[in-house]
Amino acid sequence: MRQNAAIDEEQRFLDRATARRDRLAEHLRAELASEVTDAVQQARQRMLRGQHDELRRAQEGLVFGRLDALDGTVRHVGRVGLSAEEMDGEPLLLDWRAAAARPFYTATAVDPQGQARRRHIRTTGSVVVGVDDEPLDGTAAGDLVGEGALLAALDQRRTGRMATAISTLQREQDEIIRARASGPLIVQGGPGTGKTVVGLHRVAYLLFTHRQMAEQAVLVLGPSPRFLDYIAQVLPALGETAVVSATCDTLLPGVGVGRAESRRLAEIKGRALWQEALDRFVASLLPQARELKLRWEGEFYVIPAATVGQALASAVPGRSYHQARLVFADQLHHLLAEAVAEQREALLAEMEEGYEEILARFDRGMPPGTAHGSSSDVDGLLSEEEIDELRERIAADASIARFLEAWWPIREPATLLRTLLSDRARLAEFAPQLTPEEISLVVAEPAPWSSSDIALLDAITDLLGDEETSLFSGGEPVAEQARRRRGWVYGHVVIDEAQDLSEMQWQMVLRRCPSRSITAVGDIDQAQAAHRHTSWAQAVQAAFGDRWTAAELTICYRTPREVMELAGPVLARAGSHNAPPRAVRSTGIAPWQRSVPAAELAGAALELVRQLQQRWQGGTVGVVAPADRVDGLRAVLGEVPVLTATQAKGLEWDATLLVDRDGIAAEPRGWNGVYVALTRCTQELGQLNSA
């Protein structure tokens, strides 16, 4: 079919699909306008509102693909699913996440999956601007799905925000997106392989396929606030709102990082040993069994040590410090109520024995056969209702509460952690794996929290526990509830740049997803964190042991072949045994270098950035430099992003200017940082070095 005719054909279908979407949205609006009176109707309204919002957001790229089956069936694929006008007809438009749409991403000439042709439809707003037909009979060359559409998307100018990629996902990406979510999946992918795209589109797929996840929300962890801002519009554009985005530093509500820390200290505090150390420390704070003497309404009552021990043994196992305290307090109120009742019964029994003796003496002086009263029908026993009432009075008594607070005090996590981290003797006792020199470094730390402290604070907060009980509150969106609740359990967690998580940060993740339904994407060769893990097995051993699944992205779509040719030698200098991903596109622009005296670097950078901005108008230019040059360059370059290699991870620009490569190589992660810096561009790379 001629190109113009194919465009006209797809324009007619797009018009039809747009009209159908508008009619469905209008129908949903009418239903949402109706009054609701009960919880069932409210739940249905929430579902309808979600459907309406999804349709409303499906403006750009409503239709982007078509499958022509060998049997003549034609199916279109798009952002959302649209039902047919006829009640029993085939769907007008397949949702990209539906099983029936999968051949659009996975069919090949070798395995056509019943398809004769795949068509990629390019649109701008409501206008079809191009089509790319891909026969699946072996006549098409290449190993990319929809190569024309993919390369066209990659050549577009960067805006500083990531866009959706549902129309250009590749086979190896789709296989990971649709993989089972029953355990940890670790995805290794070099620069430009679409790791972030895979992670975010996997969220959308899982929420579509496993509806219960929307009730629990999905957590997306990124390496920095800048990165989260970069990806912020992707999931809403895909219609997903049951998602919380955060960094490890912002996972603990109400707590923030107040200072930087040395890499040495970050490495020490990131070790898995702290989990056991904090567990032992909190366990040492639990009260020991002893005889308890309690005062109630002017009388003293004794709870024997053996009884206290039994209560502790039933309250503590499997519970946090404060949860165990609540359980023990309830038992203590019950034990005291029983002690009060028993003492009252004993007192009444003594009174009754004395009264019976008086009556006996009186009877001996009375004529035979004379009747007298008896107290035998007064036993002094309290009814269950009376004991329950007594227990409630004891539970509300301020003096009993003060006694419990003194014997088993409520602990504040931040205060408790500071107590441990500032006490050399306690650290030696509870973290014996630390050397005296390492303990000295920890104790010498100033007060504000550092990044590695957040993971420790999260761990001790979890061990202490809280009194949260309810999962939902009114009509508040689930993502908002999850965001402000430390103890929220998510349905799934996606981690980007996961190679940089410390062992204690992995524990933060596990606490929020005990089911271990986790997808972690990253590149072990781009690790910038203080730890020295050189393989995924080392990085996740403490969290998962050997119980995780590995996947790999092998094709670089973003970074030009001309740039990736520089990556192999850099990786070798970094000590990596991995091969860089295979680049599939070329821009024809060779990377270039300039050298100037060190004092002239900032001025030269300004001139070169201006030239790049001129060449890539409508796109973006970014600068990567050593940490000690960043402030000076920012002062000269103004609004142009100037970042360290660590800060630049996960980001991309049309053109990158790498300033002082040797300075980056001299930083702690050395050539790994250079590897990151080299691979941020989609079109052109320039390097500016000091002569």
Side-chain angles (χ1 to χ4, degrees), residues 154 158 190-195 230 526 555-561 564 584-585 587 650-653 676 679-683:
L154 292 171
R158 289 332 187 217
T193 55
K195 300 182 294 295
Y230 173 62
Q526 293 187 61
I555 301 173
C556 174
Y557 308 101
R558 177 193 70 209
T559 311
R561 188 179 297 117
M564 288 305 296
V584 294
R585 59 186 285 267
T587 61
L651 305 181
E652 62 181 38
W653 304 286
V676 173
T679 54
R680 296 304 95 201
C681 70
T682 64
Q683 304 291 344

Side-chain angles (χ1 to χ4, degrees), residues 369-445:
T370 303
H372 62 79
S374 172
S375 64
S376 59
D377 32 339
V378 180
D379 57 17
L381 295 176
L382 296 179
S383 68
E384 290 185 8
E385 291 79 6
E386 289 172 321
I387 291 178
D388 286 340
E389 181 183 349
L390 177 59
R391 186 164 55 242
E392 290 175 4
R393 288 170 53 207
I394 289 171
D397 187 82
S399 64
I400 300 299
R402 285 193 297 271
F403 173 87
L404 184 62
E405 173 60 26
W407 189 66
W408 192 333
I410 293 174
R411 308 281 184 174
E412 201 279 316
T415 302
L416 200 59
L417 181 60
R418 292 195 193 283
T419 298
L420 174 64
L421 297 182
S422 62
D423 190 319
R424 188 182 301 272
R426 281 196 174 106
L427 286 172
E429 177 184 358
F430 297 112
Q433 303 95 320
L434 296 178
T435 67
E437 182 258 343
E438 290 170 339
I439 289 175
S440 295
L441 287 174
V442 173
V443 171
E445 244 190 335

Side-chain angles (χ1 to χ4, degrees), residues 176 179-181 183-189 194-196 198-200 202-203 206 218-222 492-501 505-506 509-510 513 516-524 536 539-540 543-544 548-553:
I176 294 171
R180 293 179 59 190
L185 175 66
I186 310 298
V187 182
Q188 162 65 28
K195 300 182 294 295
T196 301
V198 166
L200 296 178
R202 179 159 168 78
V203 171
L206 292 175
V218 171
L219 174 64
V220 175
L221 277 180
H492 193 79
V493 177
V494 170
I495 311 166
D496 207 312
E497 302 294 347
Q499 73 276 359
D500 283 330
L501 264 63
Q505 287 173 330
W506 278 110
V509 174
L510 286 179
C513 192
R516 302 192 175 196
S517 181
I518 297 166
T519 302
V521 302
D523 180 4
I524 202 69
W536 282 110
V540 302
F544 305 135
W548 53 280
T549 302
E552 187 173 7
L553 295 166

Side-chain angles (χ1 to χ4, degrees), residues 443-475:
V443 171
E445 244 190 335
W449 296 125
S450 65
S451 179
S452 63
D453 287 327
I454 302 299
L456 303 184
L457 185 58
D458 187 67
I460 202 167
T461 301
D462 185 71
L463 289 168
L464 289 176
D466 48 45
E467 299 178 17
E468 293 178 351
T469 55
S470 63
L471 289 178
F472 300 99
S473 57

Side-chain angles (χ1 to χ4, degrees), residues 5-56:
I7 289 176
D8 291 343
E9 179 185 24
E10 298 307 337
Q11 183 65 61
R12 288 191 294 272
F13 181 83
L14 177 58
D15 293 342
R16 180 184 169 195
T18 300
R20 179 60 175 162
R21 182 202 63 196
D22 292 344
R23 286 194 297 273
L24 290 171
E26 182 59 35
H27 176 72
L28 289 171
R29 270 196 299 272
E31 286 207 52
L32 288 169
S34 61
E35 185 178 350
V36 296
T37 57
D38 57 40
V40 174
Q41 291 176 322
Q42 289 175 352
R44 184 171 184 275
Q45 287 281 81
R46 285 195 295 271
M47 179 189 70
L48 295 178
R49 188 173 295 106
Q51 293 174 355
H52 176 265
D53 291 345
E54 188 173 41
L55 289 174
R56 180 178 54 81

